């Protein structure tokens, strides 16, 4: 019966097209031959035959079925509707849910005469279905966009399970190598990496549990699950990634670190790969280093004017130490690279010790720290001082030895840039003293300390004002006239309401009064109060400025910052 209805509908459409003189018999015959060979719809076959273009055919269908015509590029699609129709159903019937009002779900259809599709969607959703007409290619493009990762990865998974045999922990290396080079697995891993880069993810997490696996992407700082490969693919996927990053695929008992270099389209991308043995298999985390997304202009960081001027003054110093603090993933390295990029001139010798080297910068001598062979931060820093440097960057001050050498280098005519893991700028002082560095060395060597965080930006496409009570404004420290905004969620931000990230900065120049406090071993609270008195903007205050400017939300600022004591 289904086929009969399809033939009747097709014949009806063909007859109507002929009667409307949109096509002729020769074009129809050619289209039917294309359809016979390649399959697909009559409309697409007619377009391929050169008989008419898709907009004309779509407009014809709209008129024929007396249904509205929708432009998927312009229509505002409700993202919470996407989950109502599974990806496989959307692909099967070439439909896309657009919006829902009460019990009525509006769907865009390439073939609005397919009553079976409408009945199936009614059954799946439990809603009344209102069809609208859209072009087949536009629907395919939208399906790829809105069901992007889950759908494209799901299609890769088809048939893979039958091709891969479970490799037990006791299997030898040769089988594991062969497993990691299996063509479907290679395709799956390549797609995982390409999708992550395309979507702008910063990290990929691949995790194995007792009965399942999952893959997550970190988007704008938040982890989102994108697929669940079958558990039997665990070893094949891990082996493939180890082969790509030149790790020991037979070693599953200890953590390993590697690197993958890829070219995806026109982009050259580096991935830092880290493996960690867990009880049900190794976890792999990959940090995506996409140089095309790297902005090294401090002027574009969204800093307040005083903070930016303080940093420019600090890095213009001929000697001294500039420290950037914050948790992992807060953008410390990017800030240091931006400082180096501003300082990078032919008459200066700039040297860096990094673990790992994230981006290569022309004109700067970058050294990869290798703890296993004795090339530690301290060892690299000692070697640098025999290389006639003007500016030195140390990836991180982790211990007294590194901190001591960095401090002495800053006092002997070198500009030293480095990072620490502390919560804010004032607490960095006591962290260094706790390491064992004498207060007089800290006071005399340190020029500026900056703490930073990253918060998500409100999506400009769906930004809207939200009411904030006067009591909440008072509690937060927002002025009475301040406005607050949020993103309601749209197709451009995948329904999150956020797009991109913005830095929050707490910049503390070490002034003579602060040096006196450091020498007196003052508490973090005393140092903070003096710095604020001198004009320092705390992380929380900088966040609230960004809220008032409509850059981020109150929730993001509260999530990333604390109230100063």
């Amino acid at each position: 019966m289904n086929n009969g209805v399809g033939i009747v509908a097709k014949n009806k459409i063909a007859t109507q097209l002929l009667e409307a003189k949109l096509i002729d018999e020769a074009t129809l015959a050619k289209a039917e031959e294309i359809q016979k060979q390649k399959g697909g719809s009559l409309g697409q076959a007619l377009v391929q035959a050169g008989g008419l273009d898709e907009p004309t055919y779509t407009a014809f269908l709209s008129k024929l079925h007396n249904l509205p015509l929708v432009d998927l590029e312009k229509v505002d699609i409700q993202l919470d509707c996407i989950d109502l129709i599974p990806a496989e159903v959307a692909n099967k019937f070439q439909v896309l849910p657009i919006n829902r009002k009460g019990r009525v779900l509006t769907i865009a259809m390439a073939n609005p005469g397919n009553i079976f599709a409408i009945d199936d969607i009614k059954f799946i959703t439990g809603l009344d279905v209102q069809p609208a007409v859209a072009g087949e290619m536009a629907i395919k493009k939208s399906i790829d966009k809105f069901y992007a990762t889950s759908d494209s990865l799901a299609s890769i998974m088809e048939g893979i399970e039958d091709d891969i045999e479970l490799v037990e922990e006791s299997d030898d290396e040769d089988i594991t190598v062969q497993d990691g080079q299996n063509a479907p697995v290679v395709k799956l891993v390549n797609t995982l990496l390409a999708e992550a880069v395309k979507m702008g993810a910063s990290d990929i997490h691949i995790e194995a549990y007792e009965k399942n696996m999952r893959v997550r992407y970190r988007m704008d700082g938040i982890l989102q699950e994108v697929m669940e490969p079958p558990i039997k693919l665990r070893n094949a996927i891990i082996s493939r990634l180890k082969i790509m990053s030149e790790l020991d695929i037979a070693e599953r008992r200890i953590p390993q670190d590697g690197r993958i270099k890829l070219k995806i389209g026109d982009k050259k991308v580096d991935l830092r790969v880290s493996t960690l043995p867990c009880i049900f298999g190794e976890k792999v985390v990959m940090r995506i280093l996409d140089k095309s997304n790297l902005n090294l202009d401090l002027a574009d960081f969204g800093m307040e004017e005083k903070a930016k001027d303080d940093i420019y003054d600090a890095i213009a110093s001929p000697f001294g130490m500039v420290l950037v603090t914050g948790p992992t993933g807060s953008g410390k390295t990017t800030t240091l690279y931006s400082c180096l990029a501003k300082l990078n001139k032919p008459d200066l010798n700039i040297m860096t010790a990094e673990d790992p080297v994230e981006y290569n910068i022309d004109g700067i001598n970058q050294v990869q720290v290798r703890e296993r062979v004795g090339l530690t931060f301290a060892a690299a820093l000692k070697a640098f001082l025999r290389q006639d440097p003007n500016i030195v960057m140390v990836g991180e001050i982790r211990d007294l030895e590194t901190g001591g050498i960095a401090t002495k280098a800053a006092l002997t005519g070198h500009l030293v840039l480095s990072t620490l893991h502390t919560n804010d700028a004032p607490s960095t002082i006591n962290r260094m003293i706790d390491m064992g560095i004498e207060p007089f060395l800290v006071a005399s060597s340190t020029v500026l300390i900056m703490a930073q965080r990253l918060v998500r930006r409100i999506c400009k496409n769906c930004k809207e004002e939200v009411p904030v009570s006067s009591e909440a404004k008072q509690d937060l420290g927002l002025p009475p006239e301040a406005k607050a905004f949020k993103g309601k969620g749209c197709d451009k931000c995948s329904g999150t309401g956020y797009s991109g990230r913005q830095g929050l900065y707490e910049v503390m120049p070490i002034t003579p009064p602060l040096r006196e406090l450091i020498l007196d071993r003052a508490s973090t609270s005393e140092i903070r109060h003096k710095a604020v008195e001198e004009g320092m903007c705390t992380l929380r205050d900088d966040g609230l400025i960004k809220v008032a400017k409509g850059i981020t939300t109150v929730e993001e600022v509260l999530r990333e910052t604390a109230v100063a004591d």
Side-chain angles (χ1 to χ4, degrees):
M1 185 177 177
N2 191 342
N3 291 338
V5 171
I7 291 166
V8 170
K10 185 176 80 172
N11 290 344
K12 180 184 175 184
I13 290 170
T15 303
Q16 294 273 5
L17 285 167
L18 289 168
E19 288 177 358
K21 297 189 177 175
L22 291 173
I23 60 169
D24 54 27
E25 292 283 358
T27 302
L28 178 60
K30 186 177 178 182
E32 287 176 336
E33 186 61 31
I34 291 171
Q35 194 179 18
K36 191 183 294 182
Q37 291 175 0
K38 298 183 179 180
S41 68
L42 176 64
Q44 279 302 301
L46 285 166
V47 170
Q48 289 174 36
L52 74 170
D53 57 31
E54 186 166 84
T56 303
Y57 180 69
T58 308
F60 163 78
L61 285 180
S62 171
K63 188 176 179 182
L64 177 66
H65 295 282
N66 194 27
L67 291 172
L69 183 65
V70 293
D71 184 346
L72 294 178
E73 290 288 331
K74 296 177 181 176
V75 70
D76 189 12
I77 294 170
Q78 292 179 2
L79 287 164
D80 53 354
C81 292
I82 297 295
D83 293 336
L84 295 173
I85 299 179
E88 59 271 19
V89 175
N91 273 299
K92 178 182 177 183
F93 295 128
Q94 287 299 291
V95 300
L96 185 81
I98 298 175
N99 61 59
R100 175 185 175 180
K101 291 182 180 176
R103 290 194 47 76
V104 179
L105 177 67
T106 302
I107 60 171
M109 301 183 70
N111 178 13
N114 190 342
I115 57 173
F116 296 100
I118 294 170
D119 286 345
D120 277 5
I121 293 167
K122 280 181 180 177
F123 179 76
I124 290 166
T125 62
L127 300 171
D128 295 327
V129 174
Q130 174 60 53
V133 184
E136 189 170 338
M137 292 310 295
I139 287 178
K140 282 182 178 176
K141 184 179 176 183
S142 295
I143 288 173
D144 286 343
K145 179 180 180 181
F146 290 105
Y147 293 97
T149 307
S150 57
D151 177 47
S152 54
L153 295 179
S155 65
I156 297 296
M157 294 305 301
E158 290 179 11
I160 288 185
E161 288 190 56
D162 296 332
D163 295 332
I164 303 295
E165 292 298 323
L166 178 63
V167 179
E168 299 296 339
E169 294 294 327
S170 58
D171 287 346
D172 63 28
E173 182 182 349
D174 291 338
I175 296 176
T176 311
V177 172
Q178 186 179 4
D179 209 17
Q181 292 175 334
N182 186 290
V185 172
V186 170
K187 188 178 180 185
L188 172 62
V189 169
N190 288 349
T191 304
L192 275 172
L193 302 181
E195 286 286 344
V197 172
K198 185 174 82 174
M199 295 173 71
S202 61
D203 301 85
I204 306 169
H205 290 236
I206 299 174
E207 300 155 316
Y209 300 99
E210 185 175 11
K211 296 180 180 177
N212 67 300
M213 285 186 75
R214 71 173 174 181
V215 178
R216 295 188 289 172
Y217 293 164
R218 190 176 291 281
M219 308 284 295
D220 291 335
I222 304 297
L223 280 170
Q224 299 176 13
E225 187 170 330
V226 294
M227 76 172 298
E228 287 192 18
I231 189 64
K232 67 195 294 186
L233 293 181
R234 179 190 61 198
N235 288 350
I237 292 170
I238 303 304
S239 294
R240 175 60 190 162
L241 289 168
K242 283 185 172 181
I243 289 167
M244 293 175 76
S245 47
E246 298 182 358
L247 299 178
D248 183 354
I249 56 177
E251 181 55 79
R252 302 175 186 173
R253 301 163 298 173
I254 59 173
Q256 296 187 68
D257 294 308
R259 199 170 189 129
I260 300 173
K261 288 193 174 186
L262 295 176
K263 187 172 182 185
I264 299 173
D266 295 330
K267 284 187 176 183
K268 288 185 178 178
V269 179
D270 280 4
L271 287 91
R272 264 170 35 199
V273 182
S274 170
T275 70
L276 179 71
C278 297
I279 57 172
F280 295 113
E282 291 170 285
K283 170 171 178 166
V284 179
V285 175
M286 289 170 278
R287 166 67 55 88
I288 299 171
L289 305 172
D290 183 356
K291 201 168 185 179
S292 66
N293 291 336
L294 184 66
N295 177 13
L296 295 181
D297 189 349
L298 278 169
D300 295 337
F301 278 29
M303 293 181 183
E304 300 307 307
E305 282 303 314
K306 183 183 183 305
K308 190 164 56 178
D309 292 342
D310 286 341
I311 291 172
Y312 285 162
D313 289 345
I315 62 176
S317 302
F319 57 86
M321 187 155 58
V322 174
L323 298 171
V324 182
T325 80
T328 302
S330 60
K332 299 188 299 296
T333 305
T334 302
T335 299
L336 289 180
Y337 278 153
S338 301
C339 293
L340 292 177
K342 187 168 180 62
L343 296 167
N344 192 7
K345 293 172 186 169
D347 59 343
L348 293 175
N349 178 19
I350 303 176
M351 310 194 75
T352 74
E354 304 172 57
D355 184 21
V357 174
E358 293 195 6
Y359 297 100
N360 302 320
I361 303 175
D362 287 339
I364 295 176
N365 305 285
Q366 295 172 272
V367 173
Q368 168 74 55
V369 167
R370 290 185 172 85
E371 302 265 354
R372 288 181 184 175
V373 296
L375 184 54
T376 61
F377 280 120
L381 196 46
K382 283 179 184 174
F384 285 176
L385 298 179
R386 297 191 290 272
Q387 292 275 321
D388 187 30
N390 299 104
I391 300 165
V392 170
M393 184 187 107
V394 186
E396 185 183 345
I397 294 177
R398 296 176 179 170
D399 50 43
L400 174 59
E401 186 181 11
T402 308
I405 299 168
T407 302
K408 286 167 188 170
L411 290 171
T412 54
H414 306 92
L415 180 63
V416 178
L417 284 71
S418 190
T419 71
L420 275 92
H421 287 279
T422 57
N423 290 326
D424 56 17
S427 62
T428 306
I429 298 295
N430 285 321
R431 173 79 181 94
M432 293 175 71
I433 293 171
D434 289 343
M435 276 185 188
I437 303 170
E438 291 294 336
F440 76 90
L441 288 175
V442 175
S444 53
S445 65
T446 311
V447 177
L448 177 140
I449 301 171
M450 178 172 74
Q452 67 180 70
R453 297 290 188 278
L454 289 177
V455 292
R456 291 182 290 174
R457 282 176 168 269
I458 299 170
C459 173
K460 292 178 182 177
N461 190 56
C462 60
K463 180 176 170 182
E464 62 180 11
E465 189 176 344
V466 291
V468 182
S469 68
S470 55
E471 293 84 1
K473 285 181 182 179
Q474 190 173 354
D475 290 344
L476 290 166
L478 285 168
E481 69 278 8
K483 296 179 179 179
F485 299 86
K486 71 168 188 178
K488 66 178 180 180
C490 65
D491 57 323
K492 290 189 177 177
C493 62
S494 301
T496 63
Y498 297 98
S499 179
R501 288 194 283 178
Q502 166 68 50
L504 304 182
Y505 304 97
E506 180 177 282
V507 179
M508 187 177 79
I510 306 301
T511 59
L514 286 176
R515 285 198 171 91
E516 290 295 327
L517 288 174
I518 295 168
L519 289 169
D520 291 341
R521 293 182 179 264
S523 68
T524 296
S525 179
E526 290 174 298
I527 293 170
R528 181 182 296 107
H529 287 150
K530 174 55 74 173
V532 170
E533 189 181 301
E534 292 181 343
M536 181 187 82
C537 186
T538 66
L539 285 167
R540 171 61 63 88
D541 290 341
D542 193 37
L544 294 176
I545 290 170
K546 302 298 189 287
V547 169
K549 287 183 176 180
I551 295 170
T552 189
T553 61
V554 171
E555 291 80 8
E556 279 293 291
V557 173
L558 295 178
R559 182 170 66 87
E560 287 292 341
T561 65
V563 179
D565 54 9

